[in-house]
Amino acid sequence: MDRIFSGIQPTGTPHLGNYLGAIQNWVNLQEECSSVLYSIMDMHSLTVPKEPAVLRQNILDTTAAILACGVDPKKCLLFQQSLVSEHAQLAWILGCLTNVPRLLRLPQWKTKRASQNNEGTAGLLTYPVLQAADILLYKSTHVPVGEDQVVHLELAQDIAQHFNKKYGEFFPVPKTILSANKIKSLRDPTVKMSKSDPQKLATVSIADSPDEIALKFRKAVTDFTSEVSYDPAARPGVSNLVSIHAAVTGLSIKEVLHQALGLDTAQYKMVVAESVIQKFAPIRSEIKKLQEDKSHLMKVLEDGAEKAKELAAPIYQEIRRLVGFQ
Ligand code: TYM
């Protein structure tokens, strides 16, 4: 049986990259598969220190946004990671099968460590092992993610194979469902759009106001050619705008380029901004509505966690037996 698993860190309201690289796919997949789990990865969030009140609020804001985007708890399990303690328990077991040099080579360790006085915590280093545990705990078969997560998925696949070799065939080796959308920063189109980008204009939140969206696109970095074309290697800035335009409208690159005929990049930026404003207007008002009812959001996460635990507990029990805890 196919089982889909994916997750998102609660960094507040998701950005355009999260939506186009992941959440949009989540909404489609919940229609296609009968066993689908999506998780708010609060334990992962602790790898970058946060005030407790901020984390608490971010968990609710992320949940409101995901629901507003169309993730439906009747069609999938939506839950908070830390409510299912088996994630941490399995991470310990899998950590004992993972070489430290393998973790030291992962790009996220190198980049995020730089922002932690070049030291970095044990949590930051072992974060991808916890991610492997998230997936394997449910014997998941498919994991929809954006490109930046592929290296973590490769680690999860290696860990699954290592476990199977040592303890006997147990975990399916999870397949990556890779989104074609790779959304770049609006200020530096050679790097991915990211919540942690210190440049305020680089990242578009899906709850930004129309004015904020228009401003960020107006200031988007392009180049000195005024014509609109698609060539990510030679023209990353304008190509990122074309990718965003195609992804939010559901049109092909060829179709959006056709629509852009005769426009210069400054005019085109406003066309893309308008398509983003239109796409997220209903989602933005739904987020606001959902944010007003905290107890409903918490109940969604708790109900989801209860059901997730029902799936996880017998699998974890079997793992305990396999490794010799009982
Ligand atoms: P996170 O929270 O950084 O991102 C959530 C999802 O959004 C995708 N994404 C992007 N896609 C395209 N362009 C971008 N600029 C962009 N930025 C983010 C990510 O690829 C991801 O799919 N480690 C994970 C969370 C996680 C997880 C898991 C995912 C924890 N355990 C198990 C899958 C399975 C993370 O930090 O994602």
Side-chain angles (χ1 to χ4, degrees):
M1 186 193 76
D2 283 351
R3 172 163 290 160
I4 290 173
F5 184 95
S6 199
I8 185 168
Q9 288 196 52
T11 41
T13 307
H15 56 73
L16 212 49
N18 296 136
Y19 179 82
L20 297 172
I23 301 168
Q24 198 178 41
N25 244 351
W26 293 10
V27 175
N28 296 333
L29 289 167
Q30 71 185 356
E31 306 294 339
E32 293 167 19
C33 181
S34 60
S35 185
V36 180
L37 294 99
Y38 298 134
S39 183
I40 309 293
M41 298 302 187
D42 53 349
M43 288 160 67
H44 283 275
S45 247
L46 272 190
T47 55
V48 177
K50 279 187 195 69
E51 286 303 319
V54 172
L55 179 55
R56 211 168 279 129
Q57 187 60 45
N58 282 353
I59 292 167
L60 296 176
D61 288 346
T62 305
T63 307
I66 285 174
L67 293 172
C69 289
V71 167
D72 181 352
K74 291 196 198 75
K75 298 177 182 164
C76 66
L77 301 189
L78 178 64
F79 71 101
Q80 186 178 342
Q81 178 191 31
S82 64
L83 288 174
V84 183
S85 52
E86 285 86 349
H87 286 250
Q89 291 172 288
L90 180 57
W92 180 260
I93 295 174
L94 301 184
C96 295
L97 296 175
T98 309
N99 285 328
V100 170
R102 175 86 159 83
L103 297 177
L104 289 171
R105 283 197 295 273
L106 290 170
Q108 189 160 316
W109 166 250
K110 294 185 189 158
T111 52
K112 291 211 171 156
R113 194 184 138 220
S115 62
Q116 296 185 357
N117 290 334
N118 258 339
E119 289 176 349
T121 61
L124 186 64
L125 180 65
T126 57
Y127 162 116
V129 178
L130 177 59
Q131 181 156 351
D134 299 332
I135 297 164
L136 299 179
L137 180 60
Y138 302 94
K139 290 192 162 184
S140 312
T141 57
H142 295 81
V143 186
V145 284
E147 201 193 25
D148 59 319
Q149 296 301 316
V150 168
V151 285
H152 294 158
L153 266 286
E154 285 167 357
L155 180 77
Q157 291 160 344
D158 291 350
I159 292 177
Q161 276 162 336
H162 189 158
F163 185 99
N164 289 348
K165 212 163 147 207
K166 190 168 166 73
Y167 296 110
E169 225 30 61
F170 185 71
F171 292 123
V173 177
K175 293 190 175 65
T176 306
I177 303 179
L178 183 59
S179 165
N181 297 328
K182 301 171 207 165
I183 308 305
K184 306 292 185 183
S185 153
L186 294 186
R187 297 302 297 163
D188 175 2
T190 61
V191 301
K192 70 167 184 171
M193 184 176 284
S194 150
K195 187 79 182 190
S196 55
D197 198 315
Q199 299 196 68
K200 275 202 165 148
L201 297 175
T203 305
V204 178
S205 156
I206 64 172
D208 276 349
S209 70
D211 283 351
E212 285 168 316
I213 295 173
L215 174 70
K216 288 176 182 178
F217 278 97
R218 192 175 317 119
K219 300 269 180 188
V221 168
T222 47
D223 51 30
F224 298 110
T225 307
S226 70
E227 184 196 327
V228 177
S229 66
Y230 184 73
D231 182 347
R235 302 192 67 198
V238 73
S239 303
N240 188 36
L241 298 179
V242 173
S243 300
I244 292 171
H245 191 192
V248 297
T249 55
L251 297 171
S252 67
I253 299 284
K254 207 170 147 194
E255 285 165 331
V256 295
L257 284 176
H258 188 73
Q259 284 192 1
L261 274 178
L263 300 180
D264 62 27
T265 46
Q267 292 165 326
Y268 184 59
K269 284 176 186 177
M270 290 303 96
V271 171
V272 181
E274 193 48 39
S275 72
V276 173
I277 291 168
Q278 292 294 327
K279 171 82 185 176
F280 292 107
I283 292 178
R284 182 166 170 252
S285 60
E286 186 63 19
I287 292 174
K288 281 199 178 139
K289 217 160 76 194
L290 287 162
Q291 278 171 331
E292 281 165 19
D293 193 350
K294 276 190 186 181
S295 54
H296 168 68
L297 296 172
M298 279 155 74
K299 178 140 176 27
V300 167
L301 295 178
E302 284 161 11
D303 288 353
E306 208 173 293
K307 293 182 196 143
K309 212 171 165 70
E310 278 170 26
L311 297 178
I315 296 174
Y316 184 66
Q317 204 47 41
E318 186 62 13
I319 294 168
R320 293 194 72 231
R321 201 188 56 73
L322 286 172
V323 304
F325 287 167
Q326 73 178 43

